Amino acid sequence: MKKITILGSTGSIGVNALNVVDDQRDDFNVIGLSAYKNSKLLVEQVKKYEPEFVSVVDREAARRVEQELLTFGVKILKGREGLLELSSYGNVDLMLNALVGSSGMEPTINAIRSKVDVALSNKESLVMAGSIITNLADKTDVKIYPVDSEHSAIWQCLVGEDTKEINKIILTGSGGPFRELPIEKFNTITLDRALNHPNWEMGKKITIDSATMMNKGLEVIEAQWLFDMPTEKIKIVIHPQSIIHSMVEFKDKSIKAQLGLPDMKIPIQYALTYPSHCETDWDELDLTEIQSLTFEKPDFIKFPCMRLAFDVLNTGGTAPAVLNVANEQAVYRFLNQEINFNEIPSIIEMACEKHDFVSEPSLDDILNIEKWSTDFVKSYHSKS
Ligand code: MN3
């Protein structure tokens, strides 16, 4: 039985992961769960999976959870410190990090320090601190298993291969809801339209990241660290049907691709059960029904967030962390309807230009830059 902790168990990835656990109930023992503030769902999960620990970041929600679970033998860890404590707990085999945003970085580092393998859905961890995390994982011999569907696809394509023979990695992306919208109309984009993704059901932050295409940019950075690839060997191809989840081209120009219906349960389960592909009763992909798979070049003019991601990757140091935090804060402001869609990339670009660059940042440098970038975006006055 694999002992697992799931951070962000009440979010979209966390809920899907528990569905996977339901299907493979004899293989997993859930030791820890964590939520930000969804106390109702967390209490249900605790009653069902009987973990030893839960962490609740929001204090008010933590009190509610405590009251509901008075007679339950579960230790409740509160606040941000509680989350950091849960992620440092070493007596588990695998921690799924399904937290949203830069708050997921320290928990990833904690798990690796405690020699716990990480199934990583929180791509922001690697965007913020890719060098620190990959060095630490090497030193402690901890494995990082990708959960992001594109990276899971690449990982599956690389089973049995020599990574020195990779010619390039081809990340596919659906293009989001505004792929066909002319650039002149981008100033009319409303929150509702941006929250309406054509193929994937996801949380709000990543749905907006998909609309701006920053999600693909973050994934380029994530791929660089996961697969130790130089920037010039990572390409983006737009593939609106989201059936091919990514590809690897080898030196002989042979290309391997991984296909499947756009359902996050597939990459989640592979990360939890690797190297096995376990039996499921999920829907099958019928290519005769899909009929055609199409591909386009990415549009870096319409979607400047993708260009910014390649820029910070080339700059290195603290630049990707600034991009990540500025993006996150800008997305929250867009979700609060305080700024318009076009302002997201401009704010990020300003933050990247203005920050005090550090070329080989320590964890403290990154935490300082996180604070600076947050303040920078919060103090921005919208022009709309
Ligand atoms: Mn993805």
Side-chain angles (χ1 to χ4, degrees), residues 153-168:
I154 294 160
W155 182 32
Q156 293 180 55
C157 290
L158 290 176
V159 169
E161 302 290 355
D162 183 343
T163 50
K164 288 198 270 314
E165 293 176 354
I166 299 173
N167 212 29
K168 62 178 174 246

Side-chain angles (χ1 to χ4, degrees), residues 123 148-151 172 200 206 215-216 219 222 264:
K123 64 191 88 187
D148 211 348
S149 60
E150 295 79 0
H151 306 76
T172 54
W200 295 95
I206 187 171
N215 184 50
K216 215 43 61 186
E219 288 179 350
E222 183 186 12
M264 283 308 294

Side-chain angles (χ1 to χ4, degrees), residues 15-31:
V15 167
N16 272 314
L18 286 170
N19 287 334
V20 167
V21 168
D22 288 339
D23 286 350
Q24 319 287 342
R25 205 61 202 262
D26 298 337
D27 298 334
F28 295 105
N29 184 6
V30 178
I31 302 292

